[in-house]
C-alpha cells in the first residue's frame, strides 16, 4: 500500500536525527525540521527511483503510482516542500530548516538539469544534495 520511498525517507530522516529527537528539551522544537527533512528524503527517493526506472532499457517493474506522480510533478512537490520550509522559517528561524531549503533547491537544480547528466551523475547529485545539513550544522 505505502510506496517504499515514503518508508525509506521517513526512516532515514528519523535515523539521521535520532540524537536530536531523543533529547527531550530540544526535540520539541526540532520536530518540524525533522518532518520537513523526511518529506525531502521521500522526494529524493521518489525522484531517484523514477529516474533509474526511466533509464532502464528493460522495465522489470513499475514504481508505485504515488512515486510516478511525484516524479511527474517533481517541481510542484519540491515547491510545496520549499514553501512549507519558508513558513517554518517565518515562525521560528532554524538552521536545520535552512539546510532543508538549500537541499530542496539543489534537488530542483538536479531535476531540471538531469537530461544533460548521465543517470548515475543525476542520482549521485540528488543524494549529495541531502548532505547540506552537515554544512549548516557543523560548527
Amino acid at each position: 500500500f505505502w510506496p517504499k520511498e515514503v518508508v525509506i525517507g521517513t526512516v532515514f530522516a528519523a535515523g539521521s536525527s535520532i540524537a536530536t529527537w531523543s533529547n527531550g528539551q530540544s526535540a520539541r522544537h526540532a520536530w518540524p525540521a525533522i518532518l520537513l527533512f523526511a518529506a525531502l528524503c521521500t522526494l529524493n527517493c521518489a525522484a531517484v527511483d523514477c529516474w533509474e526506472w526511466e533509464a532502464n532499457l528493460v522495465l522489470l517493474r513499475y514504481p508505485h503510482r504515488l512515486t510516478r506522480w511525484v516524479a511527474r510533478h517533481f517541481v510542484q512537490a519540491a515547491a510545496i516542500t520549499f514553501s512549507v520550509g519558508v513558513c517554518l522559517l517565518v515562525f521560528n528561524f532554524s538552521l536545520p530548516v535552512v539546510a532543508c531549503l538549500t537541499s530542496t533547491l539543489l534537488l530542483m537544480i538536479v531535476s531540471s538539469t538531469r537530461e544533460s547528466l548521465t543517470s548515475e551523475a543525476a542520482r549521485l547529485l540528488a543524494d549529495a544534495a541531502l548532505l547540506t545539513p552537515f554544512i549548516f550544522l557543523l560548527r
Side-chain angles (χ1 to χ4, degrees):
F1 178 75
W2 290 100
K4 71 179 187 310
E5 292 77 19
V6 172
V7 175
I8 292 168
T10 304
V11 169
F12 182 78
S16 298
S17 57
I18 196 165
T20 301
W21 59 262
S22 64
N23 181 355
Q25 185 62 24
S26 65
R28 189 180 60 183
H29 301 291
W31 277 109
I34 293 169
L35 293 174
L36 183 65
F37 188 57
L40 181 61
C41 291
T42 300
L43 190 63
N44 172 289
C45 289
V48 168
D49 189 43
C50 281
W51 296 346
E52 289 175 346
W53 175 67
E54 291 170 355
N56 286 328
L57 297 176
V58 179
L59 301 177
L60 301 175
R61 63 163 183 82
Y62 287 99
H64 191 276
R65 186 176 35 195
L66 179 63
T67 302
R68 292 191 313 261
W69 184 90
V70 168
R72 281 193 313 272
H73 300 92
F74 185 83
V75 173
Q76 294 90 337
I80 290 168
T81 304
F82 190 82
S83 298
V84 169
V86 169
C87 289
L88 290 174
L89 276 183
V90 168
F91 292 110
N92 187 18
F93 181 81
S94 145
L95 281 179
V97 173
V98 173
C100 287
L101 291 173
T102 305
S103 291
T104 304
L105 288 175
L106 290 172
L107 275 176
M108 291 173 81
I109 291 169
V110 171
S111 176
S112 66
T113 60
R114 77 177 177 91
E115 297 297 326
S116 64
L117 301 169
T118 65
S119 60
E120 293 82 14
R123 291 190 315 259
L124 177 68
L125 289 172
D127 288 339
L130 294 180
L131 296 176
T132 57
F134 289 118
I135 297 168
F136 285 92
L137 301 177
L138 292 178
R139 296 181 209 184

